[in-house]
Each structure stands twice: as C-alpha cells, then as structure tokens.
Amino acid sequence: METEFETGPSRYRHWQVHYDGDIATVVMAVQPDGGLREGYELKLNSYDLGVDIELADIVRRMRFEHPEVRCVVVTSGTDNVFCAGANIHMLGLSSHAWKVNFCKFTNETRCEIEDAEAFSNQVYVAACNGTTAGGGYELALACREIYLIDDGNSAVSLPEVPLLGVLPGTGGLTRLVDKRRVRRDRADVFSTTAEGVRGKKAVKWGLVDGVYPRSKFDKAIRARAEKLAKTFGDGLLRGERKGVTLGPLNPTKEPGRRAYKHVTLEWDAGTRIANLTVAGPSAEDVALVERGADAIFAAGDQLWALRAMRELDDALLYLRVNLMDIGLVLVRTTGDAARTIAHDKALWAAREHWFVNEVIRHMARALRRMDLTSRSFFALGEAETAFAGCLLELALASDRFYLLDDPDNVVHVAVGPLNGPGVLPMSHGCSRLEAHLYGEPDKLEAVTAAAADGTIYEPEDADDAGLVTVLLDDIDWDDDVRVAIEERASQSPDALTGMEANLRFPGAENATSKIYARLTAWQNWIFIRPNATGPSGALTLYGRPERPRFNWGRV
Amino acid sequence: MQPSTTVDLNAKIPNNVGLADDPKLRRALEKWLPSYLEWWNDMGPTDFADKPVFLRTAISVDSSGWAHYDHIKMPDYRWGIFLNPRKEGESVVRCGDDAGKPAWQEVPGEHRNALRRIIVTQADTEPASVEQQRLLGHIAPSLYDLRNLFQVNVEEGRHLWAMVYLLHKYFGRDGRDEADELLERRSGDPDKPRILGAFNQPCDHWLSFFAFTMFTDRDGKYQLAALAESGFEPLARSTEFMLTEEAHHLFVGHTGMQRIIQRSAQLEKIDPNGDVRNQGGIDFDLIQRTINYWFTYSLDLFGGEISNNAADFFGAGLKGRYREFRQYDEHRALRGSYSLPVVDGSKLVDRDVPLRNAMNEILRDEYIKDCEKALRKWNQTLEQEGSDRRITLPSRRFHRHQGIYAGHFFDPQGNLITEEQYEQNKHRWLLVPEDNDYLLSIMKPVYEPGKFANWIAAPRRGIEGNKLEFEYVKLHD
C-alpha cells in the first residue's frame, strides 16, 4: 500500500490540538490500533511514520493557519507516559529502507519545530507529564524548553544503546551536547542508562529545564507558556494575524504519473528513472505578487510560490517512500526566466509581511527536502526549460546541471534575490550558490552581486559564471545526456547515496547538518550490523525471549 | 565474606552480614538510620510509640532463633539485616542463560540498573504499607489484632532495611540516593506517590487491612519468592529471610478475613431477617466487593501478561519462577510457549506467548492458585457455620489497570462487556465511598484484653501459647 503524506486536522488520529489565543497545546494520544501498517500496536504513545506525518502537518499548519500562536506546548494525553519513542516492533518489522526514510522524516519534522522558533516566533515547550523515552525525549529536545513531571518515577531517557543496540535516531545525541550543551561525559552516562534520569538530577545535568510535582505541573507549564508567548510576541513581522488555510493538493494519480497543478512526477520502473518538472509562475502569478503583500496574503494557498513548493515537497516525499527503485531523477523547470526573476523580486520586496515570510521559509524547507533525498538528481536545461531564481535552486540542489547551448532554443539561467545568502539556506546554513562555488570565491562574489538585482544569463555566460556542470550544443546533447543517464543508472545505489550526501554539503557544519550527516550515517550503518539486526542482534531480539549476543569486534 | 547464622545483636544495627568489619558500609547505614527513624515517627503508628507491644524479633536466622517474643516499644524494635544461610550446591544462578553457573556475590555490571530497579520497586512497597496502615490502631477490633498490625508494621520496616542494605552495599552512590528517596515518597501523595498502584490506595479500615495483607502481601510473597531465585545471591538470601516473616502477614490477612466471614455468618443467623448490617456486622456483598477490589489491584502488581522486562529478568537470571530451583528441571525456558486469552476486537482469542515473556503470568498463576486455596478455606468456614453463602474470586481480567486487559471492560466472571455495562454495575462489584462510611461507623476500638469487636470472630488461639486474654499491647502502665 502506498503512503501519502497529506493529511489535515479532521483526519488526525493520534493528536489533539487546542488553541487558546497565543498559546496552543498539542496533545499526543496515540491510538494503539492506528498504526500505518499491520503487525504492531502503538502502545504508550509510541509512534510510527503515520503519527509523525500528523505531527509534521500540525507544525506546518501552526505557522500558516495559526500565526497568532507564539508558544506551543507539546504534552501527552496518555496516562503516565509522555512518549515512548519510535515503536520498536514497527522498527523490527520494517525494511532497512523504511527505517531510514522514517528516521529522515522524523528528523525533518524536529528541524521544522526548531525552524518555527528561529523564523516564525513560534516557540515549542515540551511538557513531559510522564515517561519520556527515546524518540519521546528527542521530540522534547527539539523544543526550546523541556519540563518534566517530578513524581519520583517519570524519567527522561535515551535507552537505544543499552536496550536496542542502535542509536537514538532523531538527533538525540547531537542535540544533547550541541544544543543543550550537556557535558559530554554526562551525556555518555545518560545515553547508556536505560532507565534514564529523573527529578533534580535531570535538571542538574541540563537534560530538562525544570521539574514540577504533579499538583503544580499544569499551572507551572501554563505560566511558563504565557511568559514565552509574551517574549516571543515582540518584534513580530507585519500583517494581520489571520490564518491561511492549506487546502488539499489533490494530485492526479495514474500509473507512472503523479500530476499537480505546477509539478509533475513521472517515472519508469524499467529504466528506474523519474522526471520531475516544475512549472514557473505565469504572467498572472507575477502580476499578483507585484501588487504587494496584501494581494499575496489574499491569494492564500493558491499563491504560486506556496502551492508549487507544497507540491514539490509532496512529490519528493512520495518518491522517497513509494518509489524505492527509482534511482535517478531528471529535473526540469519551465517558464519565462525574466518572469520568474520578476516574481522573486516582488516576493522578496514583500518579505516583511508574516505570510510572505512563511512562504519563503516554506520554500527553503521544501528545497532542503530535496538536498536530503537519497536519489541522484540531474537538472536538464534542455529546450523549453528555464532555470531562474527560486527554480534555479532545483538545479543547484541537483548533483549535476546539464545545459543546452543552442541559438535556436535559448535556455535561460537567471539569478535573483532568492538565490542570495541566507534566503533559502541548506541544512548546514549555506546558500546553494555558496555551496556550489565554495572553491571559487571570485565567481561567488560576482554571481551574488548579480543576484541582488536579478540577472539573466545566456547559456555560455551561465557556464562562465560557474553555474553549469556540462554545457552541450544541440549536436552533442542527446547522446551525451543519454550516456550520462545510463551510466548513473548502472552504478551502486548505496555508493551513490553516500557519495552524494558527502558532496552536496561543502563548507562548515552546524548542529542540524551534523544530525543528518553524522548521525544518520552512523545510525544507518548500525541498523544493518548483525549486532543490531542480525539473528541474535539486540533490535531483532527485543521483546523476544532470547537475549542478544554481540560480536565483540570493534570496527 | 560468608554471613554466619549468628546475629550481632550488640551492634547498633543487628545483622549477620559482618557489618562490624565493614566500617564504610556501617557508617553509611548508621547515617541512614536517623532518617529512617524520623520517617517512622512521621509516618508509622506513632500514637502507640510508648506502648509495649508483644513483638517477635529475629535474633538469629536459623529455625530456632528467628522468632523471639517480648514486650517492647516499637521505636526500640531492633530493625536488623539478615541473610538466610545457604547450603552448599545451592549457590548457583538458577534461571536464564547462565543457569547453573556460580551465583554472583557482587552485582554484574550489565545487570546493575535492572537489579537496582527491581530492588527499589520491592523496597518501595515496604514503607508504603506502613503508611497506608498508620491510623488503623485507633479502630482495632482487639488487642490481639492491634498487636498483629504492629508486628506487620515493624517487619515491613525491617524489610525496608533488608533492601536498603543491598542498595547501600552494592549500588554505590546511586543506591544511597535511592535509599534516601524511599523515605521521601508517600503512599497516596499525588506529588510523591509510591511506585506501584496498590500501594497508593487508601487502607482506612480493618476490612481493607485484612484484604490487603491477604491479597497484596501475598503478591509480595510471590515477588520475594521469585527474587529468592535470583542469581544475585545477596538479594536471594535477603528475600528468603523476608519470606519467613511475610508468612505471618499472610496469616494475619487470611485468618482476619476468615474471622469476619465467620462472624457475618453468625450474625446472619442471629438476625430475624438475616440482615447482617442490622446486627452491626459486615454483609457478604461488602466482603465480596472488598475481595474484588484488593484481589484485582494486587494482580496488577505482577506486571504485564506479555512482558519484555519479564523475559529480560528471567533470561538474565535476575528473577526466577516460583520455586524455580526445586520445582523445575529446565531453567532456561527458551523453548515452549504459554497460551492466554487476549482481546481481539470484541472477543477473546487464545494467543501463544514465548514462555520467557509470560513469566509474569506464570507467577500470577501460582498466586491465584494460592488465593483460591484461601477462598476454599473461607467457604469451608461458611459451611461449618451452616451458611449457604459462598465467596468467590473474580476473574483475573476484571478491574485491571495494568497489562493486556487494562483499558477493556470485564465483569467479575471475566466476560468482555461494554464500558456502559461496566459503569452501570461497578457499584455492585467494587468498593464505593458509602462502604467506607459504614465500615468506619461500626469500627470502634476494642482495647480490653480478650474482647473482640462485634463484627469479627475471635481467633482460635493466641500468640506463642498465650491466651486470648493476654495483654498483647500494654496500653495502660
């Protein structure tokens, strides 16, 4: 059965959301029989991908549909447990690829929580009113502050290493030492103690920000939420704080094809290749944006920049979990280059409006989803395409960019304000231009200057500017591109995944990129090691009568 | 160091674990002692602190010396640390992957956290029950019962000592912190509750006291028995000695309930309308509701029917089955399964669970068998009294808050019912607040030697050869 990522408040099974002015309360109450797949029960607020898809939806809608909310309290509606983390039996039953995709998506959701605090003045607080274990604590770690009930029993813990022989897969280790700055030796003790740490010691070690007894817990959380809501109510962007509803995308689904309004995904199982096409803004779309922030706000979820990027996001997620054998995605963007740059300039000019800010931030997240998708992407600048402004980002996110140099079919490449530093950053904080021209500072400076005012390049100029991997004339185009595609499709998918993840992120790391790069690489390796998932591995045997037997060799 | 059977009675803390030769441990425990006494003074049966009670104290761990009787004031009771002697050849890991290997005299690192959790959970129940029972002395039905209550109380206190000794001796700083926290939690306190549910339920009157010592302490017996099979020998030998004391608590509960049932049967005969309440007694419906309530809360204490922890504890050799060493030949339990009914939609279907994962349920089976035996005795009493009444045990699925039946609704016979049906009937099945009001209204203290409250029959015999008229608690100088 295929997994879809679109959902909405009326369809939530595992969460309740209460809105009260500038404070929202998100209550986790996982339905044990509501697993996405068969064969496991989601007991004790444990989660699977289905539960996290709902959380991601809540976090996204909070920004668009509830811009009045400043503080979001995450808590549990299940007795004595905040969240027990990812469901172990689900992990045990899942293929390696499923586990990896699940972890990647949950990581992206945790990062969205932090992104909301950084860019939308929406701050999350974890009100851990019971046992907070594994992924449950990692969810709490994604929040700005963590409060734990002090009942002599409830603890925060990361029991993955001692209990399951794997790692906390949702950024727990990195956030402990990098975000919360827990001393690394204490983090070592904490991460190898299955029962975790509770009470005053949890505060002393910096694992939580405070503990309150049961009788005072709700009141203390409320007081803290009010204070944070007030603090984060300062310096808000302009615009009426009225929500913009995110309607369903309703893609047309056919065998081998998934078509949205602006995005089309087509694939062929035989060649293991997909075609991803994004249509740029129309003249009307540009005219609307040029009318300014109020008109953009009024367009709501039909705004091209929002709709096209939501579609791109959904297509990438669909591809990740449903089209496992598709290894290479050919990326094309269409539309008039000058028009797209005009669009970007107008959107950028209106960025002081909260909704426009949200649209740009959302665009950044959708593009990061692409950076983090383990498929080869080749951008094909062939006839009838144009790679301009925000759509050029798709070429820069791709592993290679092939551009046609044909006087009869001129393909324009253009840079604009959205390509500038800090606007649509990758997960490690660089813009894609910065990452792309990391070794060519002169070119970077030139193209950055060109982006500020908007510049349209002829193919050869784009190549000179350093934006193109291979420039091909019309005589060579067909054959060279065909060979490149066939070659790529023949190489080891594992090696390509690793290689691409290494090459896509030049430059310095930050906590977020560490989470994705270091942790997922280690976690994914540990997941397939016999000590975890072999016949006598700890994850395999969890819940079974036998106890794990390890191969003691260090690798 | 092999603990001897000789108890060092001159020490500040009586013991047979060579405390005199372990100054560091002795200092640590002597530091804990004042906190313990402070807790006892705050939360124990304080109002009777200056009254001499005819108490049994262990002065050695062999069969002749563990029960020494004398009138003493409770704060002067010699709370001590005793380990059962063990015969040669019995010092082995008794279950799990390491079955048959030499028992551990020190805590193995890989099992340290699990063992600490097990010990803390067991230890927490000991002070909890003292707290639950602290005011019962004021409405005791006789001096005989009052003395039994206090005997139970001081021994629960000693059991706390036994566990705290293990925490201090084998679990370092964490163990000492845990020992301190044992004195900080309070039964029924929403902010600092005791760890297990049944130990936070109120025990306001003697019907609940007897049901508690009958059913909840009996869980304790089986937990202690399972721990007596532990590969960690100091724990096994501690709990073995605790079991000898625990037997008395079960006796108090079993015979207390039996005497109430006997008296109710007599009162039913006396009353022209067979109305027990009219005669100031405890009617059979109320007795049944009490059994339903405490039996099921006690069943919860065994943990989940299908349990990873149970499998881990057994596999690691930390906790065996009841009489693992003597009753079973095969101690690994890796093969085989256990069939139990699980809720599937709107019906119960049998499901096979790997044996190790069913260890909680296997222990619960032993417990239920034991309870059924007591029920048969009580029904014999009814028969002897010429009553047609019979008392029953509810199904193990009824009124559960832990395990696979929690969250579903069953009648006392174990049939799956709707929440609505359950809500409509639960006042007939379980204790209601009015029950408490009634019981408190009939429970007035009876402090005259040899006299018993109207709602309970006298026991068959006194304690340690003494008559019923013996002054078991000296309330007046």
Side-chain angles (χ1 to χ4, degrees):
Chain A
M1 209 187 75
E2 293 199 329
T3 302
E4 291 284 351
F5 287 80
E6 264 202 279
T7 185
S10 64
R11 291 161 62 191
Y12 297 158
R13 295 193 66 180
H14 307 295
W15 301 85
Q16 298 141 23
V17 193
H18 309 292
Y19 299 96
D20 181 12
D22 55 4
I23 296 173
T25 308
V26 174
V27 182
M28 187 178 202
V30 178
Q31 294 303 306
D33 59 354
L36 198 60
R37 294 175 158 195
E38 294 290 308
Y40 54 87
E41 264 189 291
L42 297 173
K43 286 184 188 165
L44 299 171
N45 264 6
S46 60
Y47 59 82
D48 67 352
L49 182 61
V51 177
D52 223 71
I53 286 173
E54 291 183 6
L55 175 62
D57 193 70
I58 290 167
V59 173
R60 189 165 319 132
R61 285 179 198 275
M62 195 69 75
R63 293 169 82 164
F64 281 102
E65 300 187 358
H66 296 276
E68 76 284 4
V69 170
R70 300 278 65 84
C71 182
V72 183
V73 176
V74 183
T75 192
S76 159
T78 303
D79 282 347
N80 298 323
V81 61
F82 171 71
C83 170
N87 186 278
I88 311 302
H89 300 286
M90 177 276 294
L91 288 175
L93 289 168
S94 300
S95 70
H96 179 65
W98 182 267
K99 286 199 282 270
V100 170
N101 273 313
F102 164 73
C103 285
K104 190 180 283 178
F105 184 79
T106 57
N107 270 305
E108 287 168 329
T109 306
R110 306 302 171 272
C111 289
E112 285 200 46
I113 287 174
E114 290 172 333
D115 195 69
E117 180 188 326
F119 298 112
S120 300
N121 280 36
Q122 265 181 1
V123 56
Y124 283 68
V125 171
C128 303
N129 50 350
T131 301
T132 301
Y137 182 53
E138 292 180 296
L139 173 59
L141 283 167
C143 300
R144 180 187 176 88
E145 294 178 4
I146 306 172
Y147 297 98
L148 175 65
I149 197 158
D150 187 14
D151 57 5
N153 223 357
S154 298
V156 294
S157 64
L158 290 177
E160 284 86 348
V161 170
L163 222 54
L164 306 171
V166 297
L167 298 186
T170 323
L173 299 175
T174 302
R175 285 200 178 88
L176 265 187
V177 290
D178 269 83
K179 181 182 181 182
R180 293 194 66 90
R181 304 194 184 194
V182 172
R183 233 169 59 191
R184 76 176 189 91
D185 53 346
R186 285 175 170 165
D188 180 285
V189 173
F190 174 65
S191 307
T192 49
T193 306
E195 67 183 68
V197 174
R198 61 190 146 87
K200 291 187 194 89
K201 187 167 162 188
V203 180
K204 189 178 167 201
W205 284 22
L207 301 168
V208 303
D209 294 286
V211 290
Y212 301 109
R214 187 172 297 277
S215 62
K216 302 195 176 80
F217 192 74
D218 291 347
K219 220 173 137 190
I221 295 296
R222 181 72 199 181
R224 187 63 197 150
E226 282 171 6
K227 188 131 193 283
L228 282 169
K230 195 161 176 291
T231 308
F232 277 76
D234 283 345
L236 291 181
L237 293 175
R238 71 169 199 85
E240 189 192 353
R241 293 275 156 181
K242 202 180 90 198
V244 170
T245 305
L246 300 177
L249 298 174
N250 295 325
T252 311
K253 302 169 200 170
E254 296 162 29
R257 189 164 190 273
R258 189 174 172 91
Y260 306 81
K261 191 173 173 196
H262 306 295
V263 174
T264 309
L265 181 70
E266 293 171 317
W267 62 91
D268 175 48
T271 56
R272 290 176 280 107
I273 291 169
N275 290 288
L276 176 69
T277 309
V278 182
S282 66
E284 293 77 45
D285 290 327
V286 178
L288 183 142
V289 176
E290 284 179 336
R291 286 208 298 277
D294 292 340
I296 297 171
F297 187 29
D301 70 340
Q302 294 311 307
L303 183 75
W304 174 84
L306 178 55
R307 172 131 195 150
M309 289 294 161
R310 287 181 66 209
E311 292 175 355
L312 173 67
D313 198 43
D314 192 64
L316 289 169
L317 289 170
Y318 179 85
L319 169 78
R320 275 187 189 176
V321 304
N322 295 303
L323 305 176
M324 301 306 293
D325 291 339
I326 300 298
L328 174 60
V329 181
L330 305 177
V331 179
R332 298 172 183 85
T333 62
T334 63
D336 181 75
R339 216 158 58 203
T340 306
I341 294 300
H343 165 272
D344 285 6
K345 282 165 95 169
L347 194 69
W348 183 241
R351 66 186 180 278
E352 293 301 317
H353 190 286
W354 74 263
F355 175 66
V356 181
N357 176 58
E358 288 306 338
V359 169
I360 296 170
R361 300 297 173 191
H362 174 267
M363 192 178 272
R365 293 198 298 283
L367 290 163
R368 283 201 286 275
R369 191 92 77 188
M370 186 169 168
D371 298 328
L372 293 165
T373 296
S374 59
R375 302 291 193 278
S376 298
F377 289 101
F378 284 1
L380 294 187
E382 61 192 23
E384 311 287 316
T385 68
F387 286 82
C390 60
L391 295 180
L392 175 64
E393 293 289 318
L394 273 78
L396 296 171
S398 295
D399 300 294
R400 297 183 192 176
F401 181 21
Y402 288 88
L403 185 62
L404 174 69
D405 183 17
D406 177 3
D408 299 331
N409 290 293
V410 178
V411 181
H412 285 116
V413 174
V415 290
L418 298 190
N419 303 114
V423 183
L424 301 172
M426 301 173 71
S427 54
H428 65 320
C430 286
S431 72
R432 283 177 197 77
L433 274 181
E434 287 166 331
H436 192 79
L437 296 170
Y438 188 59
E440 296 169 87
D442 294 346
K443 286 192 171 161
L444 175 62
E445 197 180 321
V447 79
T448 302
D453 300 325
T455 302
I456 298 171
Y457 296 109
E458 297 293 309
E460 260 186 63
D461 298 335
D463 191 33
D464 289 344
L467 298 174
V468 180
T469 315
V470 185
L471 188 70
L472 294 168
D473 62 28
D474 57 333
I475 302 165
D476 293 335
W477 176 266
D478 284 349
D479 212 37
D480 276 40
V481 168
R482 179 185 62 78
V483 168
I485 290 169
E486 287 176 3
E487 180 193 67
R488 190 67 160 204
S490 73
Q491 286 165 342
S492 160
D494 295 338
L496 288 174
T497 294
M499 182 195 77
E500 289 154 5
N502 270 282
L503 299 182
R504 282 179 191 175
F505 302 92
E509 279 198 88
N510 61 13
T512 304
S513 67
K514 270 191 204 174
I515 286 168
Y516 287 113
R518 182 171 306 156
L519 189 142
T520 52
W522 281 108
Q523 173 72 314
N524 296 349
W525 176 72
I526 292 165
F527 264 155
I528 57 158
R529 294 280 299 159
N531 282 340
T533 48
S536 51
L539 190 62
T540 306
L541 292 180
Y542 182 77
R544 300 206 197 160
E546 300 103 296
R547 300 165 65 234
R549 288 177 300 281
F550 296 128
N551 175 345
W552 297 112
R554 280 267 188 159
V555 177
Chain B
M1 233 262 338
Q2 276 301 314
S4 67
T5 55
T6 324
V7 171
D8 181 357
L9 282 169
N10 297 321
K12 202 167 176 184
I13 302 162
N15 69 88
N16 72 334
V17 295
L19 219 47
D21 304 319
D22 191 344
K24 248 168 49 192
L25 177 63
R26 197 182 69 225
R27 270 202 301 277
L29 284 169
E30 285 178 359
K31 211 174 137 203
W32 189 79
L33 176 65
S35 310
Y36 170 79
L37 288 173
E38 195 181 314
W39 166 80
W40 179 269
N41 286 330
D42 284 350
M43 296 311 296
T46 317
D47 302 330
F48 296 85
D50 60 345
K51 311 297 180 201
V53 184
F54 188 63
L55 290 178
R56 173 182 78 177
T57 313
I59 54 169
S60 96
V61 293
D62 56 28
S63 54
S64 64
W66 69 274
H68 174 81
Y69 289 85
D70 207 353
H71 271 103
I72 51 167
K73 294 173 184 170
M74 280 185 279
D76 300 333
Y77 178 82
R78 305 302 305 279
W79 283 288
I81 299 161
F82 309 114
L83 265 58
N84 232 30
R86 192 162 256 198
K87 289 189 200 116
E88 218 165 304
E90 294 188 345
S91 287
V92 291
V93 177
R94 295 178 169 191
C95 60
D97 295 344
D98 293 329
K101 292 186 184 163
W104 311 302
Q105 302 304 323
E106 294 288 336
V107 177
E110 62 170 317
H111 304 318
R112 190 175 194 267
N113 289 328
L115 271 169
R116 193 183 62 206
R117 200 74 245 142
I118 288 172
I119 290 169
V120 167
T121 307
Q122 178 61 41
D124 192 64
T125 66
E126 313 291 356
S129 63
V130 175
E131 291 163 3
Q132 284 169 296
Q133 297 158 12
R134 65 186 296 261
L135 296 173
L136 290 175
H138 293 291
I139 51 170
S142 71
L143 289 183
Y144 166 90
D145 290 294
L146 187 62
R147 176 266 165 203
N148 282 346
L149 167 69
F150 294 154
Q151 182 72 53
V152 169
N153 289 164
V154 293
E155 282 173 356
E156 299 296 6
R158 202 204 68 72
H159 292 179
L160 175 60
W161 271 97
M163 296 288 107
V164 164
Y165 159 72
L166 296 174
L167 289 171
H168 273 238
K169 168 124 177 124
Y170 297 101
F171 295 89
R173 165 109 174 262
D174 290 349
R176 291 200 295 280
D177 288 348
E178 293 281 8
D180 290 344
E181 285 183 42
L182 286 167
L183 299 177
E184 286 166 16
R185 287 188 283 269
R186 292 284 181 273
S187 175
D189 184 330
D191 287 341
K192 284 272 171 197
R194 291 292 170 184
I195 295 170
L196 298 170
F199 293 90
N200 289 304
Q201 303 305 318
C203 186
D204 306 332
H205 48 71
W206 282 74
L207 181 58
S208 277
F209 171 67
F210 288 131
F212 181 94
T213 38
M214 164 69 205
F215 292 111
T216 309
D217 277 345
R218 196 170 302 268
D219 154 73
K221 168 186 166 182
Y222 283 88
Q223 297 302 332
L224 292 174
L227 296 177
E229 305 294 334
S230 178
F232 177 45
E233 191 157 295
L235 172 63
R237 295 177 47 190
S238 285
T239 48
E240 265 174 22
F241 190 75
M242 289 158 76
L243 278 167
T244 57
E245 293 164 322
E246 201 70 33
H248 172 258
H249 307 183
L250 304 184
F251 166 84
V252 169
H254 175 156
T255 57
M257 291 299 291
Q258 180 261 328
R259 287 159 55 210
I260 291 174
I261 289 164
Q262 183 183 8
R263 183 62 184 157
S264 295
Q266 291 164 354
L267 293 172
E268 191 172 39
K269 267 186 298 184
I270 293 169
D271 191 83
N273 300 316
D275 185 344
V276 179
R277 280 204 191 198
N278 194 37
Q279 296 296 321
I282 303 172
D283 53 283
F284 286 100
D285 288 345
L286 176 45
I287 292 171
Q288 184 67 55
R289 285 199 295 279
T290 305
I291 291 169
N292 291 351
Y293 181 89
W294 284 104
F295 174 64
T296 51
Y297 263 116
S298 305
L299 288 175
D300 280 339
L301 298 172
F302 288 82
E305 284 76 6
I306 307 167
S307 166
N308 298 334
N309 275 343
D312 280 349
F313 292 167
F314 186 91
L318 307 182
K319 197 175 167 188
R321 286 168 287 193
Y322 185 62
R323 297 192 170 146
E324 178 76 40
F325 193 58
R326 295 181 208 293
Q327 192 169 297
Y328 295 88
D329 297 326
E330 204 285 316
H331 299 297
R332 292 169 65 82
L334 261 178
R335 279 180 293 278
S337 62
Y338 183 97
S339 175
L340 79 174
V342 301
V343 180
D344 184 1
S346 57
K347 59 183 196 301
L348 284 165
V349 292
D350 283 340
R351 183 168 144 198
D352 284 339
V353 177
L355 207 52
R356 278 189 180 182
N357 296 67
M359 284 302 169
N360 287 341
E361 192 62 1
I362 290 166
L363 197 60
R364 193 162 14 229
D365 280 341
E366 298 277 1
Y367 168 81
I368 292 173
K369 254 195 285 179
D370 203 13
C371 291
E372 282 167 349
K373 221 188 293 174
L375 264 282
R376 280 199 294 278
K377 288 244 172 81
W378 297 345
N379 282 329
Q380 273 169 18
T381 300
L382 286 170
E383 216 176 317
Q384 283 157 8
E385 291 295 332
S387 168
D388 296 334
R389 297 273 187 182
R390 292 296 176 264
I391 303 288
T392 56
L393 269 188
S395 161
R396 71 177 73 194
R397 296 188 285 276
F398 172 69
H399 185 237
R400 290 291 300 281
H401 299 82
Q402 297 283 331
I404 57 174
Y405 304 119
H408 300 285
F409 298 93
F410 295 91
D411 65 16
Q413 285 72 46
N415 302 307
L416 202 52
I417 56 172
T418 64
E419 182 172 5
E420 203 186 1
Q421 289 169 317
Y422 180 84
E423 289 298 327
Q424 274 167 10
N425 287 293
K426 72 174 183 194
H427 68 283
R428 300 196 297 125
W429 295 335
L430 294 164
L431 289 175
V432 293
E434 299 83 74
D435 291 336
N436 254 20
D437 299 344
Y438 174 68
L439 289 165
L440 290 172
S441 78
I442 61 167
M443 289 190 184
K444 305 295 176 209
V446 177
Y447 290 151
E448 199 180 324
K451 290 275 190 283
F452 289 84
N454 175 50
W455 49 266
I456 189 165
R460 250 181 260 159
R461 63 181 74 87
I463 294 155
E464 189 63 0
N466 291 298
K467 295 198 173 104
L468 292 179
E469 290 74 23
F470 182 74
E471 200 174 5
Y472 289 104
V473 183
K474 292 182 178 171
L475 294 178
H476 314 284
D477 294 331

